[in-house]
Amino acid sequence: QVQLVQSGAEVKKPGASVKVSCKASGYTFTNSAMNWVRQAPGQRLEWMGWVNTANGDTRYSQKFQDRVTITRDTSASTVYLELSSLRSEDTAVYYCATRPGLAVAGFDFWGQGSLVTVSS
Amino acid sequence: EIVMTQSPATLSVSPGERAALSCRASQSVSSNLAWYQQKPGQAPRLLMYGASTRATGVPARFSGSGSGTEFTLTISSLQSEDFAVYYCQQYNNWPPLTFGGGTKVEIK
């Protein structure tokens, strides 16, 4: 069965960077794109970006364009989200999410979430 | 960016009753709309895609309708496990993919 297992919780100071990982199993990694979605406390879901796991092509939300990098390691079936210049408003649960194929649509599969807390 | 607006913010319903949740897009998204259910401390669960197609394993009491800018998720007879927050998401024009603000379905 499809599983997305994310790295653990992080506490970072303002201005620092964080890197969250998402290890996929149960399907052919390069057949499905991966997305990152975050949710601040009590807030709506917010899409951050997408990576084509086959060739590394990325698409980002303009809101995060200057601060976010999504990469993948095909040998490890793992996708990474790096967010820099952290501020308190980046405190959120970060999810990876995917669906069969490379097209965007509804996300069938989600990781368990990684809590990132930004605090001085 | 397409803005998704959900109403009401909170819906109080008794078990066994019908619930209708609304989602409006700031411009047409055709039928490229998904619905999710989220319970506290959990990741979202896909309920519907293509506006009206149930995802795998979703009970038949959930149905979706609409196209263009107006969409509805209907739960025909609320069960205890259905009390949660529901989000719509458009994937017609991206980046970015955008979500609505959610509707909390609570026990009346």
Side-chain angles (χ1 to χ4, degrees), chain A residues 62-73:
Chain A
Q62 191 168 9
K63 175 176 178 177
F64 304 103
Q65 184 79 39
D66 296 336
R67 300 196 293 136
V68 69
T69 305
I70 298 175
T71 56
R72 94 283 190 228
D73 179 347

Side-chain angles (χ1 to χ4, degrees), chain A residues 39 44 47 95 104 106-107, chain B residues 36 38 42 87 94 97 99:
Chain A
Q39 188 171 38
R44 72 177 66 192
W47 179 83
Y95 295 101
V104 290
F107 303 135
Chain B
Y36 298 87
Q38 188 178 34
Q42 296 184 15
Y87 293 97
W94 72 288
L97 303 173
F99 292 85

